[in-house]
Amino acid sequence: MAHMLQSPPRAVHRLLPVDPQVRAIAADLYDRVAQEPVISPHGHVPVEWLATDVRFRDPVDLIVTHDHYVTRQLHASGVDPAGLAATAEHDPRAAWRTLNDHWHRFAGTASGYWIEESLAEVLGIGLPLGPEHADEVYDAVAERLARPEFRPRALFRRFGIEFLATTDDPLDHLAHHAALADAGLGGRVAPTFRPDRYTDPGAAGFAGNVERLLAATGSAATFAGYLAALEERRHHFIAHGAVSTDHGVEEPYTADLEPGDAERLFQRVLAGTADAAQRREFRGHMLVQMARMSVEDGLVMTLHAGVLRNHSTPAFERFGPDAGHDIPVPTDFVRGLRPLLERHGLAKDFHLVLFTVDETTYSREIAPLAGFYPSVYIGAPWWFLDAPDAITRFRSAVTETAGFYRGSGFVDDTRAFLSIPARHDTARRVDAGFLARLVAEGRIALPMAERIIDDLVGDLPREVFKL
Amino acid sequence: MAHMLQSPPRAVHRLLPVDPQVRAIAADLYDRVAQEPVISPHGHVPVEWLATDVRFRDPVDLIVTHDHYVTRQLHASGVDPAGLAATAEHDPRAAWRTLNDHWHRFAGTASGYWIEESLAEVLGIGLPLGPEHADEVYDAVAERLARPEFRPRALFRRFGIEFLATTDDPLDHLAHHAALADAGLGGRVAPTFRPDRYTDPGAAGFAGNVERLLAATGSAATFAGYLAALEERRHHFIAHGAVSTDHGVEEPYTADLEPGDAERLFQRVLAGTADAAQRREFRGHMLVQMARMSVEDGLVMTLHAGVLRNHSTPAFERFGPDAGHDIPVPTDFVRGLRPLLERHGLAKDFHLVLFTVDETTYSREIAPLAGFYPSVYIGAPWWFLDAPDAITRFRSAVTETAGFYRGSGFVDDTRAFLSIPARHDTARRVDAGFLARLVAEGRIALPMAERIIDDLVGDLPREVFKL
Amino acid sequence: MAHMLQSPPRAVHRLLPVDPQVRAIAADLYDRVAQEPVISPHGHVPVEWLATDVRFRDPVDLIVTHDHYVTRQLHASGVDPAGLAATAEHDPRAAWRTLNDHWHRFAGTASGYWIEESLAEVLGIGLPLGPEHADEVYDAVAERLARPEFRPRALFRRFGIEFLATTDDPLDHLAHHAALADAGLGGRVAPTFRPDRYTDPGAAGFAGNVERLLAATGSAATFAGYLAALEERRHHFIAHGAVSTDHGVEEPYTADLEPGDAERLFQRVLAGTADAAQRREFRGHMLVQMARMSVEDGLVMTLHAGVLRNHSTPAFERFGPDAGHDIPVPTDFVRGLRPLLERHGLAKDFHLVLFTVDETTYSREIAPLAGFYPSVYIGAPWWFLDAPDAITRFRSAVTETAGFYRGSGFVDDTRAFLSIPARHDTARRVDAGFLARLVAEGRIALPMAERIIDDLVGDLPREVFKL
């Protein structure tokens, strides 16, 4: 791909360690995998983009207003997201200038890296962001977006995506996925079963959601009927290529209830008469049920835990959900997951991938759990932790306990389609740097490091996600 | 200033990264800001020192007995602080020898760095600490302290202090601050409103303190009268140049109460009939009230949270407070501050600076909060964390989420006047090293790093503290 | 010792920092202590091995089946430990091949480092592990084990062990230790008093254990009698050379009870009528009693806190205890230990060494406590944290607050006799690298670093463990 880069060293050695000896080893390791296919087993790219091969509207729509990493940082800087969205509607160039006026605030952030990298590597724009060249860059991006080779399907092929998972509602028809199976994309697009709004009594509209679920599957309004409905929808997803389910919870609390207790609790949460403790029990029991279903139907279970959603009620009321004020909280995987793991942790071929935003759990909880349970895999650094220094800390925190083969492989978890290559490239570079240090410090031999980096981007995610 | 340094490399490259490429960039970045004015928006230098331009008594009085970082380490080494203080009274040289006999125990500590740096750079003493040269160094320090150029005002000018905040009791007359306004110091000395003993029902003498507050302001003994009294004293502080309030709490718990409930609680805590949970509610509510007043009067609110004071009752009884056994505890900013932020977090021009000694909260809580709320700023590493490695960990932990512009700028928080240049210099060097690594790894361009380091020591603290 | 190493750099620079300037300093520091005697004040080597000078059976028995670090990682990889143990009985070579087939899974782990190092340095085997040379390495190990110079006593002498503590049941006769005193080992083998099963009402068979204790000492079935029995056994241990006691707890909770309350609680826990809260109180009070006894008899008290034992009940039922699913949990030393430290924290010559597997407590809790209480020492990184990167994080986390002289010195805590030199060597190398960085960054002078590394491996553990 043609480049117009800011400076040659950036492209060559970006994110590799500075020490010449380590950098040389890291560069060799990175070169082995730089062009390997992208496996993206969890993310949020709207399947419609690929199904309809939509033309991205404008630079602001693509890069600014729909990325809550970006809008939250602008919000923190005093930019009103609602005002910015309104501006973006009638004068996207003005909204783009706002981003560029604040670009120094993104220096050193994950979002800053991804956006700069996307512009340079995907769109081939060599000018820096910031007020000086804002208009030129805007025009350059807009020019690219008008071209057919920057539509989603063309980019999908160019990105070398082997597997891309979307995240979908259990009642989704999945027709888009079905259509894409024959689209000749050169890679697979699979749905992911995300049932939170049907399993968490605290979710908005929970009772109505369950009613729709029961109606759609013709199931009885009993706990057994409800479980059967969920199982049926999981099979629908499997039939459309799904390999995993995803669960987002504030705490990884699980509870293993007797059937009678579960039935009574189900009726209470449906009726809205359950108190907070009972809603928690139900939510926790449903994680155990989801694990049980995974044992039975083979779907990999991924758990994203430890985020308190919508911290600011006034902001939620103005901007809606996913507006950048979902904030991590301390997370207890060890006691929280124990009931689930007591029941299913040793089950053959059960895979449970744990994602955290509380990095204290890496060395204390997740690596020790994954170092024993064959079912438990260490999720790649996620959300706030999906950035070069945080990935380095992650590798350091988990490797000495669990090695390299109990991890999930990199997961981009993104809706920002344009940034997918930058994210995977970052992980490959940081992992190469980490391995290179171990080689240079005489801890592992170079051939072992080569095998590991190959596996980290290839066989490992394929094994963990059963591809 | 004339130096008699141990070894030339120490002065030139102290605290800069070792790698030659990174060090060269870091040295250039550091050189830009090495001589920039000191902005010290929070600290504990006694205003009397400057008002009376006191002559520091002797080396031990200046460096040992009043610094609980030093006495705690000596205490841990088996030196009785009370005995040391008694010795210091009649034979300071003997007390100085005690410090020097234990100097190896300070190697690698923040206190060790600051003291060595103060001696070398401020007092121009090139001999190392330790038993070998203890008497010579004592004499050299004593000789300096006798000279006029080592009195507080001369040092203030020489240190290039642009702004220095003291910490003061709400009932303080602030006459010293008024007098200093005309002292031609070349920099401003401002008071800071620290109301804990009037707002925390667990504070010693709380009810009597509130009575004095009400009497001093002629306020009614109602919750409304109490709030009005606090507001009046805040205005007194503002009139004397204050820019901020400071709050030290064991936990950052906040509570947003109805006026009637607050009134009832106020009467109970005054009467001493409130239980622990009620005292906690009151304390938490007063933080929300303080935030409300900050929204109204513009004072920046700084919160130092997560320290259990006076861990050892026998030590407290022997040595009093601030004797080195205030110990950090896990801290929950996300749930604890939610009521305060729900109420005031989006208020225009409200600034809330969060200081922690639980470094797990940097990436998990504080950076995500500051990355969304325009009011929330990340306090510089504080207390046990105000040291080179800890500052590096801090930068790594917060930057990828919140960038460089959501921080407070460096805060020395110290009573050790002599160490102020060393502390700010340390932060500048460590930040230069951190930025240099990002440049060398191709993450940010050099001009951006230059802008950032300039802002970190200048415009950023000026903006955060409204200077 | 003769080497057949994989590659020369591994032996020379293993685990030292890569930067040439830092590495040179580190190598010099390491060279000072590389051949210093091993002081191992806490571990789990069976005293029988030394007493009977047992011949190690075969490579699998020595390296695989009894090391739960190894079996847990194999279990996580899908290898059934019970099946492996059965195979090991009749076909150890086949079990050895299983380990080697999975050897890439140990790359980068602490176990991987120790085993590779033991084979290379202790057994002098230069071939790498892995499927390719599995049989050759098996034969080479077996050949070594048949030779007299690879029996425990010969290795003990060759390892240069000055002091080795075992861990023993309070009712142990300690005859093996008595016999070893005259064995001419060139180093001392001392027992350690580990009373958990007699002091924790949650321990299996607690009441029966206490009965046996009372019977063995002829003590009355009162709390006073029980304490006297424990004191008597401690004196038996002291008479056999013990220097410390060890306590393993899920949480470092302590409680200081009135004698009457303690007596009542004792009767309840013995009768099995105590509820969970009462068992916790008793357990916590016994830690305070153990501290009191240490104050009186001088035994160093070591506390290993924060591990939830036997996380998986099905695994526990199949494999028994110590099967690799003891998992760390968040740990609160500050509030938990307060009653104990209020009572005994300032007692003269009381030594309390705190070990954690929750590394967040290093900078937040343990270093601040050890930086004040003369009794509190920072335990060396333990279990999952006893690995190069984790040791580096530990040094960084504690040193700036507490310096180098409030730590325990390295503690291997191992049953894997063969790995003792590798473990101590790792700590020496990592500490040398850490100190070298401080020197290269101009933080401490080289002579100070030399003194510190000497003390870390010699005088410091001797002082802490009263050797």
Side-chain angles (χ1 to χ4, degrees):
Chain A
M1 104 188 53
H3 292 166
M4 295 171 55
L5 293 161
Q6 290 172 251
S7 58
R10 180 143 197 282
V12 179
H13 293 311
R14 193 177 67 91
L15 293 173
L16 299 185
V18 179
D19 178 273
Q21 188 190 343
V22 182
R23 178 171 280 184
I25 302 169
D28 285 349
L29 292 172
Y30 169 67
D31 282 347
R32 296 176 67 88
V33 295
Q35 305 301 326
E36 286 298 299
V38 164
I39 298 172
S40 175
H42 180 70
H44 295 272
V45 170
V47 68
E48 295 79 4
W49 288 0
L50 288 160
T52 63
D53 203 24
V54 66
R55 181 183 169 295
F56 294 117
R57 207 178 73 182
D58 61 58
V60 168
D61 188 67
L62 180 63
I63 293 170
V64 185
T65 41
H66 297 298
D67 186 340
H68 59 74
Y69 285 69
V70 174
T71 54
R72 73 165 172 81
Q73 186 80 341
L74 289 173
H75 180 261
S77 312
V79 176
D80 179 59
L84 186 74
T87 302
E89 276 305 307
H90 68 268
D91 186 359
R93 185 182 295 268
W96 181 257
R97 286 182 192 145
T98 299
L99 173 71
N100 279 269
D101 287 343
H102 291 85
W103 191 245
H104 59 291
R105 295 174 174 274
F106 290 84
T109 67
S111 297
Y113 297 143
W114 293 327
I115 292 173
E116 291 188 349
E117 200 58 19
S118 301
L119 289 187
E121 299 290 330
V122 177
L123 302 182
I125 295 170
L127 292 168
L129 288 165
E132 200 184 346
H133 302 287
D135 281 357
E136 285 166 273
V137 174
Y138 183 90
D139 291 335
V141 177
E143 182 272 336
R144 305 295 191 276
L145 300 187
R147 286 199 247 157
E149 63 262 41
F150 291 96
R151 293 211 175 188
R153 290 190 179 188
L155 289 175
F156 188 99
R157 289 186 197 98
R158 181 173 147 207
F159 292 170
I161 297 175
E162 173 181 320
F163 181 84
L164 179 78
T166 61
T167 298
D168 308 272
D169 188 279
L171 291 184
D172 196 293
H173 44 69
L174 305 179
H176 286 318
H177 291 84
L180 280 173
D182 307 317
L185 280 177
R188 193 172 143 198
V189 180
T192 300
F193 186 81
R194 170 83 175 235
D196 296 341
R197 69 189 63 165
Y198 303 90
T199 57
D200 175 3
F206 169 73
N209 298 338
V210 172
E211 258 174 58
R212 285 190 300 115
L213 171 69
L214 298 176
T217 53
S219 306
T222 62
F223 189 59
Y226 165 71
L227 295 180
L230 288 164
E231 287 166 2
E232 183 179 328
R233 294 310 301 170
R234 292 169 64 109
H235 286 112
H236 181 71
F237 271 64
I238 293 169
H240 287 76
V243 298
S244 70
T245 71
D246 182 47
H247 310 269
V249 292
E250 188 173 319
E251 54 168 356
Y253 177 81
T254 64
D256 195 358
L257 303 180
E258 295 299 314
D261 293 339
E263 175 69 47
R264 274 185 293 277
L265 207 47
F266 175 67
Q267 298 303 340
R268 272 174 174 272
V269 297
L270 262 198
T273 59
D275 62 20
Q278 291 168 328
R279 292 196 298 271
R280 184 184 191 230
E281 284 301 292
F282 186 80
R283 195 163 43 229
H285 183 60
M286 286 313 297
L287 288 180
V288 177
Q289 287 291 346
M290 286 290 136
R292 192 260 305 159
M293 293 180 199
S294 277
V295 170
E296 292 172 0
D297 64 22
L299 286 176
V300 174
M301 182 174 185
T302 74
L303 187 67
H304 289 79
V307 178
L308 189 156
R309 304 276 169 178
N310 307 312
H311 190 266
S312 167
T313 305
F316 176 68
E317 286 165 356
R318 287 200 62 209
F319 315 129
D322 297 325
H325 50 107
D326 298 345
I327 311 287
V329 288
T331 308
D332 175 358
F333 289 96
V334 175
R335 293 187 177 111
L337 289 182
R338 197 175 189 188
L340 186 156
L341 291 170
E342 289 275 25
R343 175 68 67 178
H344 302 298
L346 306 179
K348 193 166 156 50
D349 294 334
F350 174 48
H351 290 192
L352 172 64
V353 188
L354 303 179
F355 294 89
T356 190
V357 274
D358 173 3
E359 56 183 319
T360 72
T361 62
Y362 285 147
S363 77
R364 189 181 57 218
E365 307 182 13
I366 296 181
L369 287 169
F372 174 75
Y373 286 101
S375 57
V376 174
Y377 289 91
I378 306 167
W382 167 53
W383 203 323
F384 299 104
L385 302 176
D386 177 13
D389 279 12
I391 297 175
T392 303
R393 293 198 300 274
F394 160 80
R395 280 279 172 228
S396 176
V398 304
T399 303
E400 292 177 330
T401 292
F404 289 96
Y405 287 84
R406 302 299 307 148
S408 67
F410 185 68
V411 171
D412 58 64
D413 195 24
T414 194
R415 186 187 187 282
F417 188 58
L418 216 59
S419 74
I420 286 178
R423 292 173 191 247
H424 286 261
D425 186 68
T426 295
R428 291 170 185 192
R429 287 172 180 269
V430 174
D431 284 344
F434 185 82
L435 284 160
R437 179 172 65 85
L438 298 196
V439 172
E441 291 179 3
R443 301 204 212 177
I444 59 175
L446 183 60
M448 181 66 88
E450 292 171 340
R451 173 180 179 173
I452 292 169
I453 193 107
D454 291 351
D455 288 345
L456 287 181
V457 304
D459 283 355
L460 188 64
R462 285 189 198 104
E463 174 199 315
V464 174
F465 285 94
K466 305 181 177 178
L467 304 179
Chain B
M1 98 188 61
H3 290 167
M4 296 171 54
L5 294 159
Q6 291 175 250
S7 57
R10 181 146 197 279
V12 180
H13 294 312
R14 192 177 67 91
L15 292 172
L16 298 185
V18 179
D19 179 273
Q21 187 190 342
V22 182
R23 177 171 280 185
I25 301 169
D28 285 349
L29 291 172
Y30 169 67
D31 283 345
R32 296 175 67 89
V33 295
Q35 305 301 326
E36 285 298 299
V38 164
I39 298 171
S40 175
H42 181 70
H44 296 271
V45 171
V47 69
E48 295 79 3
W49 288 359
L50 288 161
T52 63
D53 203 25
V54 67
R55 181 183 170 296
F56 294 118
R57 208 178 74 183
D58 61 57
V60 167
D61 188 66
L62 180 64
I63 291 170
V64 184
T65 41
H66 297 299
D67 185 340
H68 59 73
Y69 286 69
V70 174
T71 54
R72 72 166 172 80
Q73 186 80 342
L74 289 173
H75 180 262
S77 312
V79 176
D80 179 57
L84 186 73
T87 302
E89 275 306 307
H90 68 269
D91 186 359
R93 184 182 296 270
W96 181 256
R97 285 182 191 143
T98 300
L99 174 71
N100 279 269
D101 287 345
H102 291 87
W103 191 245
H104 59 290
R105 296 175 174 274
F106 290 84
T109 68
S111 297
Y113 297 144
W114 294 325
I115 291 174
E116 291 188 348
E117 199 58 16
S118 302
L119 290 186
E121 299 290 329
V122 177
L123 303 182
I125 295 169
L127 292 168
L129 289 165
E132 199 184 346
H133 302 287
D135 281 357
E136 285 166 272
V137 173
Y138 182 89
D139 292 335
V141 176
E143 183 271 335
R144 306 293 192 278
L145 299 187
R147 285 198 247 155
E149 64 260 42
F150 291 95
R151 291 209 176 189
R153 289 190 182 189
L155 289 175
F156 188 100
R157 288 185 199 98
R158 182 174 147 207
F159 292 170
I161 297 176
E162 173 181 320
F163 182 84
L164 179 79
T166 61
T167 297
D168 307 272
D169 188 279
L171 291 185
D172 195 291
H173 44 70
L174 304 181
H176 286 317
H177 290 86
L180 280 172
D182 306 319
L185 280 176
R188 193 172 144 199
V189 180
T192 300
F193 186 80
R194 170 83 175 234
D196 297 341
R197 70 188 64 164
Y198 303 91
T199 56
D200 175 2
F206 169 72
N209 298 339
V210 172
E211 259 174 58
R212 286 189 300 115
L213 171 70
L214 298 175
T217 54
S219 305
T222 61
F223 189 59
Y226 165 70
L227 295 180
L230 288 164
E231 286 165 4
E232 185 179 325
R233 294 311 300 171
R234 291 171 64 111
H235 285 112
H236 181 71
F237 271 66
I238 293 170
H240 286 77
V243 299
S244 70
T245 71
D246 183 46
H247 310 270
V249 292
E250 187 173 320
E251 56 169 355
Y253 176 81
T254 63
D256 195 358
L257 303 179
E258 295 300 313
D261 294 338
E263 176 68 49
R264 273 185 294 278
L265 207 47
F266 176 68
Q267 298 302 340
R268 274 174 174 273
V269 296
L270 263 199
T273 58
D275 62 21
Q278 290 167 329
R279 292 196 299 272
R280 184 183 191 231
E281 284 301 292
F282 186 80
R283 196 164 41 229
H285 183 59
M286 285 312 297
L287 288 180
V288 177
Q289 287 290 347
M290 287 289 137
R292 192 259 305 158
M293 293 181 200
S294 277
V295 169
E296 291 172 2
D297 65 22
L299 286 176
V300 174
M301 183 174 185
T302 73
L303 187 68
H304 289 79
V307 179
L308 190 156
R309 303 276 169 178
N310 307 312
H311 190 266
S312 167
T313 306
F316 176 69
E317 287 166 356
R318 287 200 60 210
F319 314 129
D322 297 324
H325 50 107
D326 298 344
I327 310 286
V329 288
T331 308
D332 174 359
F333 289 95
V334 175
R335 293 187 178 111
L337 290 181
R338 198 176 189 188
L340 187 156
L341 291 171
E342 290 274 26
R343 176 68 68 177
H344 302 297
L346 306 180
K348 193 167 155 50
D349 294 333
F350 174 47
H351 289 192
L352 172 63
V353 188
L354 303 180
F355 294 90
T356 190
V357 274
D358 174 2
E359 58 184 316
T360 70
T361 61
Y362 284 147
S363 76
R364 189 181 57 217
E365 306 182 15
I366 296 180
L369 286 170
F372 174 74
Y373 286 102
S375 57
V376 175
Y377 290 91
I378 307 166
W382 167 54
W383 203 324
F384 299 104
L385 303 176
D386 178 12
D389 280 12
I391 297 176
T392 304
R393 293 198 299 273
F394 160 80
R395 280 280 171 228
S396 176
V398 304
T399 303
E400 292 177 330
T401 292
F404 290 96
Y405 286 85
R406 301 300 307 148
S408 67
F410 185 67
V411 171
D412 58 65
D413 193 25
T414 193
R415 187 187 186 282
F417 188 57
L418 216 61
S419 74
I420 287 177
R423 291 173 192 246
H424 286 261
D425 186 67
T426 295
R428 291 170 186 193
R429 287 173 180 270
V430 174
D431 284 344
F434 184 82
L435 284 161
R437 179 172 63 85
L438 299 196
V439 172
E441 290 178 4
R443 301 203 213 178
I444 60 175
L446 182 59
M448 181 65 89
E450 292 171 341
R451 173 181 180 171
I452 291 169
I453 192 104
D454 291 351
D455 288 345
L456 287 181
V457 304
D459 283 355
L460 189 63
R462 286 190 198 104
E463 175 199 314
V464 174
F465 285 92
K466 304 182 178 177
L467 303 179
Chain C
M1 98 190 57
H3 291 166
M4 295 169 56
L5 293 161
Q6 292 174 251
S7 57
R10 182 144 195 281
V12 180
H13 294 311
R14 193 177 66 91
L15 292 174
L16 299 185
V18 179
D19 178 272
Q21 187 190 344
V22 182
R23 177 171 281 184
I25 302 169
D28 285 349
L29 292 172
Y30 168 68
D31 282 346
R32 296 175 67 87
V33 295
Q35 305 301 326
E36 285 299 299
V38 165
I39 298 171
S40 175
H42 180 71
H44 295 272
V45 171
V47 68
E48 295 79 3
W49 288 359
L50 288 161
T52 62
D53 203 25
V54 66
R55 182 181 168 298
F56 294 117
R57 207 178 74 183
D58 61 57
V60 167
D61 188 66
L62 180 65
I63 291 170
V64 184
T65 41
H66 298 298
D67 186 340
H68 59 74
Y69 286 68
V70 175
T71 54
R72 72 166 171 80
Q73 186 80 341
L74 289 173
H75 180 261
S77 311
V79 176
D80 178 59
L84 186 74
T87 302
E89 275 306 307
H90 67 268
D91 187 359
R93 184 182 296 270
W96 181 256
R97 285 181 191 144
T98 299
L99 173 71
N100 279 270
D101 287 344
H102 290 86
W103 192 245
H104 59 290
R105 296 176 174 273
F106 289 84
T109 68
S111 297
Y113 297 144
W114 293 328
I115 291 174
E116 292 188 349
E117 201 56 18
S118 301
L119 289 187
E121 299 290 330
V122 176
L123 301 183
I125 296 169
L127 292 169
L129 289 165
E132 199 185 346
H133 301 287
D135 281 358
E136 286 166 88
V137 174
Y138 183 89
D139 291 335
V141 175
E143 181 273 335
R144 306 294 192 277
L145 299 187
R147 286 198 247 156
E149 64 261 41
F150 291 95
R151 292 209 176 189
R153 290 190 180 190
L155 289 175
F156 188 98
R157 289 186 197 97
R158 181 173 147 207
F159 292 170
I161 297 176
E162 173 181 320
F163 181 84
L164 179 79
T166 61
T167 297
D168 308 272
D169 188 279
L171 291 184
D172 195 293
H173 45 69
L174 305 180
H176 286 318
H177 291 85
L180 280 173
D182 306 318
L185 280 177
R188 193 173 144 197
V189 180
T192 300
F193 186 80
R194 170 82 176 235
D196 296 341
R197 70 188 65 165
Y198 303 91
T199 57
D200 174 3
F206 169 73
N209 298 339
V210 172
E211 259 175 58
R212 285 190 300 115
L213 170 70
L214 298 175
T217 55
S219 305
T222 62
F223 189 59
Y226 165 70
L227 294 181
L230 288 165
E231 287 165 5
E232 184 178 326
R233 294 309 300 169
R234 290 170 65 109
H235 285 112
H236 181 72
F237 271 65
I238 292 169
H240 286 76
V243 299
S244 71
T245 71
D246 183 47
H247 310 270
V249 291
E250 188 173 318
E251 55 168 356
Y253 176 82
T254 64
D256 195 358
L257 302 180
E258 294 299 314
D261 293 339
E263 175 70 48
R264 274 185 293 277
L265 207 47
F266 175 67
Q267 298 302 341
R268 272 173 174 272
V269 297
L270 262 198
T273 59
D275 62 21
Q278 291 168 329
R279 291 196 299 271
R280 185 184 190 231
E281 284 302 290
F282 186 81
R283 193 162 45 227
H285 183 59
M286 286 313 296
L287 287 180
V288 177
Q289 287 291 346
M290 287 290 136
R292 193 260 306 158
M293 293 180 199
S294 277
V295 169
E296 292 171 1
D297 64 22
L299 286 176
V300 174
M301 182 173 184
T302 73
L303 187 67
H304 289 79
V307 179
L308 189 157
R309 304 274 170 179
N310 306 313
H311 190 266
S312 168
T313 305
F316 177 69
E317 286 166 357
R318 285 200 62 209
F319 314 129
D322 297 323
H325 50 106
D326 298 345
I327 310 287
V329 289
T331 308
D332 175 357
F333 289 95
V334 175
R335 294 190 177 108
L337 290 181
R338 198 177 188 187
L340 186 156
L341 291 171
E342 289 275 25
R343 176 68 68 179
H344 302 296
L346 306 179
K348 195 168 154 47
D349 295 334
F350 174 47
H351 290 192
L352 173 63
V353 189
L354 304 180
F355 294 90
T356 189
V357 273
D358 173 3
E359 57 184 317
T360 71
T361 62
Y362 284 146
S363 77
R364 189 181 57 217
E365 307 183 13
I366 296 180
L369 287 169
F372 174 75
Y373 286 101
S375 57
V376 175
Y377 290 91
I378 307 166
W382 167 54
W383 203 324
F384 299 104
L385 302 176
D386 178 11
D389 280 11
I391 296 176
T392 303
R393 293 197 301 271
F394 161 80
R395 281 277 172 228
S396 177
V398 304
T399 304
E400 292 177 329
T401 291
F404 290 97
Y405 286 84
R406 303 299 306 148
S408 67
F410 185 68
V411 171
D412 59 64
D413 194 26
T414 194
R415 186 187 188 283
F417 189 57
L418 215 61
S419 74
I420 286 178
R423 291 173 192 246
H424 285 261
D425 186 69
T426 295
R428 291 170 186 193
R429 288 172 180 271
V430 174
D431 284 344
F434 185 81
L435 284 161
R437 179 172 64 85
L438 298 196
V439 172
E441 290 179 4
R443 301 204 214 178
I444 61 175
L446 183 59
M448 181 65 90
E450 291 170 342
R451 173 181 180 171
I452 291 169
I453 193 105
D454 291 351
D455 289 345
L456 287 181
V457 306
D459 282 354
L460 189 64
R462 285 188 198 106
E463 175 200 315
V464 175
F465 285 94
K466 304 182 177 176
L467 302 180

